[in-house]
Amino acid sequence: MAKLTINTTQNIEIDFKAAAIGERILAFMLDMIFKVLYMIVFYYVDHLFQWSDYFNSDSWSYNAYWVVVALPIIFYSVFFEVAMQGETPGKKIMGIKVIKIDGYQATIVDYFVRWILRVLDILASNGIVAIFSIIFTQNSQRLGDVFAGTTVISTKNRINIGTTIFREVEQEYIPVLPQVIRLSDADIGVVQEIYLRYKGSQDFSLIKALARKLESELGIDKGKLELSNQAFVELVLKDYSHYTGKE
């Protein structure tokens, strides 16, 4: 499995494992199965309640009805990637997800660009363009990923924040930084990766750059808290765990 080195906005390098082509194909096939199951279930429900008969007066209305029915299939990928922060049910099962090349959470626009370019990547070429693009691009990107600035990584065997950094957050614990709710799980994942790398290397420039980035993102003056860079990062992680219940 290829390894990706992603540069954050602070020029800090984080290593991720690129999702293998086989994993991406299996995730795609699983999503296709879910789409087919949806259509099968809807077909029998429609047959039972005869909803389509109400639109059978003319061909335009009948076709429009089935187009509306098909919308969940058409927008399946972009909907779930937005709702599940880079995952679809198939990707979730396979342990892979979409992230930005800078390591942060992709935006709705990024997911939409990936979805639009599926027409060229997958549908128009039976997946040939996507496969060759993933093989020959540096960051294992299909065409949609290239234009969206994203890639797909493996989330298997990721280290759990709660078990590696914190003790369990006490019920009576009072958080200090409510601003941490601005961060996403993907953001915290990057913070975790950098923190663990610092703990292993004791590279103080690494933890200093991370603390500065968090100060900027959260609008916090660390100096007023009278905390070291390491203590500030640990506080951010602990408060995030408190607010999200991810201990």
Side-chain angles (χ1 to χ4, degrees):
M1 185 179 295
K3 181 179 286 187
L4 302 177
T5 299
I6 291 176
N7 292 305
T8 70
T9 53
Q10 287 290 333
N11 292 320
I12 298 169
E13 293 185 347
I14 304 296
D15 293 330
F16 291 92
K17 288 183 179 179
I21 292 180
E23 291 177 320
R24 296 178 70 161
I25 291 174
L26 285 174
F28 177 81
M29 292 175 66
L30 286 170
D31 287 328
M32 286 296 297
I33 290 172
F34 294 139
K35 294 175 187 179
V36 170
L37 288 175
Y38 160 77
M39 286 303 298
I40 291 173
V41 170
F42 193 91
Y43 174 81
Y44 282 104
V45 172
D46 177 80
H47 183 73
L48 178 64
F49 293 100
Q50 298 181 331
W51 291 334
S52 58
D53 290 348
Y54 293 105
F55 302 91
N56 208 18
S57 57
D58 62 83
S59 60
W60 188 93
S61 297
Y62 187 78
N63 291 334
Y65 167 76
W66 284 106
V67 168
V68 172
V69 170
L71 287 178
I73 293 177
I74 296 171
F75 292 100
Y76 175 97
S77 295
V78 68
F79 171 80
F80 278 112
E81 286 181 358
V82 171
M84 298 174 64
Q85 297 187 328
E87 297 175 321
T88 62
K91 288 186 176 73
K92 183 75 172 178
I93 292 170
M94 293 305 302
I96 63 177
K97 72 178 295 181
V98 179
I99 65 166
K100 291 285 286 183
I101 289 299
D102 60 10
Y104 284 89
Q105 183 67 44
T107 66
I108 293 176
V109 173
D110 298 324
Y111 296 131
F112 187 78
V113 169
R114 296 183 80 253
W115 174 74
I116 285 289
L117 288 173
R118 286 166 63 90
V119 174
L120 294 177
D121 265 346
I122 300 170
L123 302 181
S125 64
N126 292 320
I128 300 300
V129 171
I131 290 172
F132 276 90
S133 181
I134 291 168
I135 291 173
F136 292 108
T137 53
Q138 180 180 356
N139 294 311
S140 301
Q141 298 165 290
R142 67 174 178 84
L143 193 61
D145 288 316
V146 172
F147 281 90
T150 58
T151 189
V152 180
I153 62 165
S154 172
T155 60
K156 295 174 183 175
N157 301 320
R158 305 293 287 178
I159 303 171
N160 180 272
I161 294 175
T163 59
T164 58
I165 296 176
F166 313 129
R167 302 187 188 109
E168 184 176 349
V169 178
E170 307 85 1
Q171 284 189 336
E172 63 274 14
Y173 174 73
I174 300 175
V176 179
L177 306 173
Q179 299 95 324
V180 297
I181 61 175
R182 301 178 192 172
L183 301 174
S184 68
D185 286 350
D187 295 332
I188 288 296
V190 173
V191 173
Q192 171 199 340
E193 293 281 352
I194 299 172
Y195 177 86
L196 292 177
R197 176 170 291 193
Y198 157 73
K199 292 288 284 184
S201 66
Q202 291 298 301
D203 182 349
F204 292 101
S205 64
L206 201 61
I207 199 70
K208 182 178 180 181
L210 177 58
R212 285 182 175 177
K213 178 62 178 174
L214 287 171
E215 282 185 281
S216 174
E217 290 292 325
L218 300 176
I220 295 171
D221 183 355
K222 177 175 63 64
K224 293 181 179 179
L225 298 174
E226 298 183 352
L227 294 173
S228 66
N229 291 321
Q230 178 177 336
F232 174 64
V233 172
E234 289 173 348
L235 180 62
V236 168
L237 290 166
K238 187 170 185 178
D239 281 6
Y240 186 85
S241 177
H242 171 83
Y243 279 114
T244 61
K246 294 176 180 177
E247 301 175 2

